[in-house]
Every structure is written in structure tokens, then in C-alpha cells.
Amino acid sequence: MAQVDIREQLAQRFAAPLPAGISRRIIIWHDVAEEFEEEFDFIADQGLFAFGGTSRGQGEFFPLDGDSQPQRQLRCVKPDSNNLFVVKELIARDDIESDILIYRNTSGRKLEGDWLADVELYAEHFSADAVTLLADELGVGNSTDIRQALSDFKRFFRSHERLEKFRVCMPDPHTYGDIALGVFATLFRGATGRRAQTGAADTSTIMRDYVTLLWEAQNDEYIDIGEETGLQNESSRAELSHSKYPYALLEKYQAHEAFIKFLSAKLGYEGYPDSAKELAGHLLFSAAACTLPPQIFRGLSVAASPEHQQACLTIVRAWLKSGGSEKRQLFDIARVVERESNLYGRLEALDVAQLVSCDVFPLINEVILNKLLRWMGQGEDRCDDAVSATDRRKNMEWYEEYASYFSLLLASVEAQRFYRSHAEGFHLADPAKVWRTYTDDWCQMDQSYRKARLAYRECLNNPSDSLDDAAREAIDWVESRYTQWFLPEVNACWMKTARSQWRENGWVEGIARQDRFYEDEVANNTSSSKAAPCTVVVISDALRYGVGATLAQRLEQTTHGITKLTSMQAVFPSITEFGMAALLPHRRLGYEVKDGHGTVLADGMPTASTPQRQAVLQACNPKGRALQMQD
């Protein structure tokens, strides 16, 4: 600590001109607290680093004021109770020419019985106030508060490397608390590998780092503690890793008592901070207490602190915002705390309205979803509750971990709302009206069913054991309403109204026809005065109308263009080989069977392959092309 300053001060003292009649300089360095004994030993061994890059040490010459001055040696001596007379003899008789630096762990005020009493009287004196030197080096004030902090953490500041790391973590300390925060942050940040991180230390970062380190140590994860603790013995390292690291760092640098006070003041934690589960539990429960009813915390082995709820929530929020692996680690920690406190049973007793405002624990999403999905699966009319809860949760933490289940919930809500609004069934007499009603309204059930099946598939790909049964109940309800109610009744309505026109015409009047697609859409577009330079037709086989409606919506959202959605009735039979031929220019469609294989013909031309369909196109428009998507 401040070694260079001490050496420079001593070098300046020895280099100063001697008073008249004095041939050498003797300086006694008083260090009652023995803070600088190692520094004296270093000087005795290596010499004083003086200006101009030269040095003089034990038995070495050093030119003082230029070549005109005589050269004197520097001798460093360290008296003790057994050699005081020998040192006196050295100074008074054996070496009367060398400069002498004497290191003593006394104050020099009590001279009675001291063999060096006369030397104390005529020699110069030097003392180093470690706290003052450190305050100067850090550029901080010299108030009583600051001095007390620097004194309490003096062991920490003995390393120049730690001092430089402290500057990064706490560049502008003003109080005892600032000094303490800087010390904690330096120790924990270095141990977590965030040595390059800049910015002042704060309570949130310190707690995240401490809990993380403690958690890793107590969950058999390897931590390289050798650098910070100096423990190189494998058994010692293993014992420390499985007990109270990083508390050992605090003890090593005599910062543990300050840290205990810090936890009490900032978090209201009164326990011994050597258990990651207990400390994390206190932090998470106190944070959750901001928005959850107090009765759920009764009887917990780790108590929440009502007075520190907001402070704990701020710490948890900052941890969550760190994202990445750090957020994932908080997720894992929270899951253990949930399990060991039987939190699910406590939360299950609350209403959804009491749960939706808290996102400290991931488990809260599971409790909410379990309630709502089961209600959907039982056909209860809780749609408004489900939508409100989802809207609230989707902008909160941990939503993404359960996004597929929320998607299933919303799809179930859509299906239930459709079911309730069409409880009277599907009873229309005109086939064209049936068609329009389907495209305007009834297709919503198709869309809801598809959303539910896709969401449930994603749930199976990213399962949550506690939600499996509830999700299955919800999808089973949607499945039964779709396959046992919607499809049979809608198809029956359509078949009943369209049957006579199929029999008479082969199609239904008043509905656009697939076999007139080229004439009505492509030919009219290319022949108009405002024709586009090119008309592109994308054919997606078996594209349901509900999927088309979703595609149209997404196109408008992503391209900011205008999309028009229409529909056509297929030719009979409505299978791919007939539908592909019906889209081509033609006056007549036919069907030919050769060698047991059938081929659809457009004006006598085969249409089975892409080259054949291109030939049909070019017979009408020489510039027409037919392409596979990959080409």
C-alpha cells in the first residue's frame, strides 16, 4: 500500500543537503503498528528507488548533490530487544560514515532504559500514516468516516492490484458505505471473472455476484479460487469450495463483519451468510412480498423482511435485466427455493387476480396456467380472466419460458368464445350465404383449432411437468368441439344447401370458380391498360382458408402493403391433380386413362408435370412459365 510514496519520501530525505557540520544522515523510522515492516525489509534488500532511475541499497554508494559531494553508503538496520547495544556500537563506533535507516516498532517517546536514547535525540525521525497515505493515493477525503473505512479494510488495500481493481469498481467514494461497496465488488467481481467490467459498484451487482458464487460453491461447481484466496492445497480448496466460499474472501481481508452489517441494513437479512439457499430465499421472498399477500409467507424457515421488500425487489429486477446466463442462473436458483419451500402449495390457494402482479418466481406462471387451462378444459366461462392474465403476464419476467402454454390458453379461449357464440348451430338455406358466412365468420374456428394444435405441439417440445395434465385437458376440449361439433355441423349445412346445384350444374352459383381462375384473374390482369409487367401465381397445395387469412394479415404487417383475400370453389373432385389443371388456361378439362394411370387434360394437353403445365401456359401466352419453388 503506497509503497512508492514511502520510498520517494525516504529517498528525498536522504538526498537533501546535510546541515552544517553534519557528515551523514541518520533517520529512525517509527512504525508502532508494524504496518510497514515488509516495506522496510524490501528497502533493505533492494534499496531506495531514487530520481533518475538509480538506487542505493545496503552497502551501495549514492551521489547526493552532484559529483562535488562525497558519496555515502546507506545501511539499513532493524534493532530488537536483544541487539540494541550491538546497534548502538555499530552507529557510534563500527560505521561512522554511512547513512543509516533504523526501523523501530516503538514510538520513540519513552527513552528511559533505551540503549538508543541518545540516537533518538539527535537523529531525524520518519513515520508513515498508512490511512493518510492510502487516502491520498485514492484521492478521497480525510474525514473520520473515510479514515475509519480505510483502517477497517487495510488488509484488503495492501495489494496494489486490488487497489487498482477497487478504483474501477468504486471510482469516486465519499462515505464508509462507498468504501465497503467497492471492497465487496472488487472481491466478488474478480472471483466471478468480471475483471474487465467497469462502472461503480452497486448493491444489486454485489448481491448477484455473492449469491452466484456461494450457489456455485455449494452445488459442486468448479470455481478457481486459488488466485484470490491463495489456497493452492487441493484439500483446502475442496473444503473451502464446499463450505463457505466466497465468505472466505471476506474473512481473509477482514471484511466479513462489514458485509454482515451490509446485509442487515440493505436486505434485512440477520443470518450468517454462508447458505446460498437461505440468502437467496430471503432475497426472493422479500421481493415477492411486494405484490403477494403476506399470509403465504407464514411459517417459512426463511423469513421475508417487510421493511426491505422494495430494496430486495430492486435487486431481483436488476438481476433479471442482466439477461443471458446470469438470468438463467437466477431461474435455477428460484426453482430450488420454490421446491424446498413447497411454494406451489402456498400459491395454489390464491386467486389468479392475487398472483398476476408478481413475477419474482417462475412458478407463479405455472400456478396461473394450471388454473386457467383446467378451467378451459372443463368448459368454464373464464375467457375474460384468461385474456386479462395473459395480457398482464406477457410483459413480465419468465413469460417466454411458458409462452407456448399461454398460446394454448389463448387459442382455447378463441375456440370457447366461438363455441358459445354459435351454440344455436349452423342453419342457413342458401349455399352462397353459407360460403360467405364461413369466410367471414366460421373459419375462425378452423384458425383457433390450428393455433391450439401448434401451441400444444410446442408445449410437448418444451414441456413443464406441472402443466402437462392441464394442457392435455385444454387441447382435448378444443379437439372434441372441433371434430365432434364444428366439422360435422358445418359440413352438414354446406352439403344440404349445395347438393342440388352440384347435381344440376357441377358448381354453386354466386361463388367464384377455380376452373375460371386464369380467365378471371390472370388474363384480365395482363390485358388491362394498367397491367402489371408480370403476374406471379404462387400455388400452395392444401392451404386452408384460415391459413390464408393469417398469411394475408402477416403480409400487411410485414410489408405495409395492401392484401386482398378472396376464395374460390374447387372443381370436383377437389384433389391436387384436378386443381392444378383447373388453374391453367383452358376451354375444357378432360380425364384420360392409359395403362391403368389417369391424366387430367386441359384442352387435350396433359398437365401432370411442370413442363407439361408450362406447355399449356405457353399455348395461351408464349411468355408464360411454370416453375418449382426450388428453381
Side-chain angles (χ1 to χ4, degrees), residues 169-246:
C169 294
M170 183 58 66
D172 190 26
H174 295 288
T175 65
Y176 188 105
D178 291 343
I179 299 291
L181 285 177
V183 170
F184 303 151
T186 302
L187 293 176
F188 304 154
R189 188 175 296 179
T192 57
R194 285 187 284 272
R195 292 175 174 81
Q197 183 177 337
T198 59
D202 58 74
T203 300
S204 297
T205 303
I206 288 169
M207 287 310 305
R208 178 195 65 198
D209 289 350
Y210 184 80
V211 173
T212 297
L213 288 167
L214 198 58
W215 185 268
E216 290 173 347
Q218 294 177 343
N219 285 274
D220 297 328
E221 295 188 24
Y222 173 74
I223 302 175
D224 186 6
I225 61 177
E227 177 181 349
E228 289 294 341
T229 63
L231 294 178
Q232 302 302 326
N233 180 273
E234 288 300 323
S235 61
S236 298
R237 290 162 61 91
E239 179 182 355
L240 185 57
S241 292
H242 289 83
S243 59
K244 55 185 179 179
Y245 180 82

Side-chain angles (χ1 to χ4, degrees), residues 4 23 80 136 183 186 194 212 244 263 285 298 378 389 412 443 560 576 584:
V4 175
S23 61
D80 59 38
D136 290 342
V183 170
T186 302
R194 285 187 284 272
T212 297
K244 55 185 179 179
L263 292 177
F285 285 130
R298 292 173 188 160
Q378 294 163 8
S412 302
C443 71
H560 303 291
T576 299
L584 297 171

Side-chain angles (χ1 to χ4, degrees), residues 304-361:
S305 175
E307 297 80 10
H308 299 82
Q309 294 174 1
Q310 193 58 52
C312 291
L313 183 60
T314 299
I315 293 170
V316 173
R317 284 273 179 268
W319 195 339
L320 289 167
K321 296 302 180 186
S322 62
S325 61
E326 293 177 355
K327 181 178 178 180
R328 181 65 201 182
Q329 188 158 47
L330 179 59
F331 179 87
D332 295 337
I333 291 172
R335 299 302 274 173
V336 172
V337 173
E338 293 168 354
R339 184 174 62 251
E340 299 205 353
S341 62
N342 189 27
L343 188 60
Y344 192 98
R346 294 172 177 269
L347 295 175
E348 196 175 28
L350 301 179
D351 293 333
V352 171
Q354 295 174 293
L355 294 168
V356 291
S357 298
C358 183
D359 61 351
V360 172
F361 289 101

Side-chain angles (χ1 to χ4, degrees), residues 82-102:
N82 297 318
N83 69 351
L84 287 174
F85 184 79
V86 174
V87 171
K88 180 180 179 67
E89 186 179 27
L90 171 71
I91 297 170
R93 178 179 296 175
D94 296 343
D95 186 352
I96 59 174
E97 295 182 352
S98 299
D99 284 355
I100 296 178
L101 176 62
I102 305 170

Side-chain angles (χ1 to χ4, degrees), residues 352 356-357 365 368-369 372 383-397 399 406-407 409-410 413 417:
V352 171
V356 291
S357 298
N365 283 315
I368 292 173
L369 284 165
L372 294 173
C383 294
D384 290 345
D385 292 337
V387 172
S388 175
T390 303
D391 286 344
R392 187 71 182 274
R393 302 298 294 180
K394 67 183 178 183
N395 294 319
M396 302 176 76
E397 299 295 342
Y399 177 84
F406 279 108
S407 296
L409 177 64
L410 291 181
V413 167
R417 283 178 168 172

